[in-house]
Amino acid sequence: MKKLFEPTTLGTLKMKNRLIRSATWEGLADERGHMNEELFERCETLADGGIAAIISGFTSVSGDDHCFGGIARLSSDDFIGEHKRLTDIAHRRGCPIIVQLALGEYNGAYRDMSVNDLSEKDIRRIRDMFADGAVRAAKAGYDGVQIHAAHNFFLSRFISPGYNRRTDRYGRTPEGRAALIIEILHAIKTRCPELHVSMKINCSDFFSGGLTPAESLRICELCAENRMDSIEVSGNGTSVPHIKAGENEGYFKDFALRLGERTDLPIILVGGHRSIGKMEQILNEGRVDFLSLSRPLLREPALPNRWKSGDTAPAKCVSCNRCYQTPGHRCVFSRASETPGGGMK
Ligand SMILES: Cc1cc2nc3c(=O)[nH]c(=O)nc-3n(C[C@H](O)[C@H](O)[C@H](O)COP(=O)(O)O)c2cc1C
């Protein structure tokens, strides 16, 4: 019988409970991707709040990626120092921290290129951007990296038949469309064997012609065969609104349970977790090992400590999604949301 609050491990990482902060892009970096002071404070507050591990927000491996404002980067060695400061903050509080390596758009010759325009040389360049990002992550002291292959960003378009119409070895079949991710995985494992390597993936694109659950399962199996360390299950339409405790929590659960039957990979499930009762039910329905949270921690960064102390009322987050519209992606129900700074551009 798995409990939410019991010490466990994620690969070699020591976890004090089964709750993980899912990647949350705060919009608190400048145009070049340098983090502002508030981002360090957010990390400190989260690590103090009892979460077992933090996955950073979207961190671009490219200096030319301007898919949205305020994204942090690990696209050159110039960023290592500030990321080291972030990992030190988490580690001083006994909290492992994983950086989410991502690419929103790929600007070959300074235009956003579709996955179908890329030459094999471009593809090798993208593989190396992720691997170089991982090397910098290791130097900055991160415990792991998460390859962002969900939510319509570049790699999720690459694995999706809805976008990838390539007729070469990087297309045609789930194996072909997964080849870039497998190459990234190999490159990271070779160059940074000490890092935990996770991936966030859509269980489905939820549009006609897009990635199906069967194809997503096949890609996860390939990743497992190639020594991926964990998978975080998400899906397009990631932040479903109006979640009510006990009613529509854990909305990608069915896929995660199927994945658990097909691989031995540790599984992290994100999406609409709001109550301890429902989360423990999911943990014990199958092989889901960790539950990850985003919006509830914007409203209550110390939610894990609140629950652990015996106040087991569901998360106060009402899933209104207005956090997406505020500067610094603050919860509109917290007074700090009125303070300008960072924010969407
Ligand atoms: C403001 C905001 C920013 C987000 N940024 C990211 C991100 O950088 N990377 C990512 O994979 N998901 C991101 N997400 C999605 C969350 O990680 C999560 O998958 C989703 O919100 C569902 O979980 P929840 O119900 O716990 O919020 C973001 C969500 C919110 C609300």
Side-chain angles (χ1 to χ4, degrees), residues 58 100-103 130 146-151 153 155-156 200:
F58 185 113
Q100 184 180 63
L101 295 182
L103 190 58
F130 275 89
Q146 182 180 67
I147 300 168
H148 192 0
H151 309 166
F153 293 111
L155 287 177
S156 80
K200 192 168 187 178

Side-chain angles (χ1 to χ4, degrees), residues 244-295:
K244 289 214 169 60
E247 284 183 22
N248 49 356
E249 295 182 70
Y251 39 81
F252 300 127
K253 177 194 77 168
D254 292 348
F255 178 92
L257 294 175
R258 283 173 68 193
L259 178 60
E261 289 164 5
R262 296 265 289 262
T263 74
D264 292 331
L265 276 173
I267 297 171
I268 305 164
L269 174 64
V270 72
H273 305 301
R274 301 295 182 264
S275 69
I276 296 181
K278 188 66 192 171
M279 283 189 276
E280 292 202 328
Q281 190 185 321
I282 292 174
L283 285 173
N284 290 292
E285 266 180 75
R287 259 210 351 76
V288 172
D289 306 286
F290 295 92
L291 301 159
S292 53
L293 310 168
S294 169
R295 293 167 291 176

Side-chain angles (χ1 to χ4, degrees), residues 101-314:
L101 295 182
L103 190 58
E105 57 197 28
Y106 174 67
N107 289 300
Y110 302 101
R111 76 187 170 89
D112 182 17
M113 290 172 74
S114 112
V115 298
N116 301 312
D117 299 331
L118 303 171
S119 66
E120 291 215 1
K121 189 172 164 209
D122 292 322
I123 291 176
R124 280 198 300 278
R125 177 153 186 259
I126 290 166
R127 175 201 65 198
D128 291 345
M129 282 159 62
F130 275 89
D132 291 346
V135 170
R136 292 182 194 112
K139 286 185 183 157
Y142 282 105
D143 301 281
V145 295
Q146 182 180 67
I147 300 168
H148 192 0
H151 309 166
N152 258 348
F153 293 111
F154 184 86
L155 287 177
S156 80
R157 298 199 296 275
F158 205 95
I159 60 175
S160 168
Y163 295 96
N164 183 333
R165 307 280 158 79
R166 299 181 69 94
T167 53
D168 63 359
R169 67 191 177 92
Y170 291 103
R172 290 198 306 258
T173 60
E175 288 77 7
R177 291 188 288 272
L180 171 57
I181 286 183
I182 302 299
E183 287 178 15
I184 291 172
L185 179 56
H186 282 173
I188 297 176
K189 284 282 176 192
T190 304
R191 295 175 64 188
C192 321
E194 72 280 24
L195 286 180
H196 182 98
V197 185
S198 188
M199 173 173 71
K200 192 168 187 178
I201 190 168
N202 285 345
C203 57
S204 169
D205 279 349
F206 296 109
F207 63 78
S208 172
L211 187 77
T212 63
E215 286 165 319
S216 181
L217 279 172
R218 179 68 194 126
I219 293 171
C220 292
E221 275 179 347
L222 290 168
C223 289
E225 287 161 17
N226 285 279
R227 297 189 299 129
M228 179 80 75
D229 296 301
S230 66
I231 298 264
E232 185 179 16
V233 171
S234 187
N236 266 359
T238 168
S239 305
V240 172
H242 313 307
I243 303 301
K244 289 214 169 60
E247 284 183 22
N248 49 356
E249 295 182 70
Y251 39 81
F252 300 127
K253 177 194 77 168
D254 292 348
F255 178 92
L257 294 175
R258 283 173 68 193
L259 178 60
E261 289 164 5
R262 296 265 289 262
T263 74
D264 292 331
L265 276 173
I267 297 171
I268 305 164
L269 174 64
V270 72
H273 305 301
R274 301 295 182 264
S275 69
I276 296 181
K278 188 66 192 171
M279 283 189 276
E280 292 202 328
Q281 190 185 321
I282 292 174
L283 285 173
N284 290 292
E285 266 180 75
R287 259 210 351 76
V288 172
D289 306 286
F290 295 92
L291 301 159
S292 53
L293 310 168
S294 169
R295 293 167 291 176
L297 296 169
L298 289 175
R299 177 139 190 198
E300 297 177 88
L303 180 60
N305 279 347
R306 165 161 87 71
W307 278 337
K308 194 164 180 239
S309 72
D311 177 353
T312 57

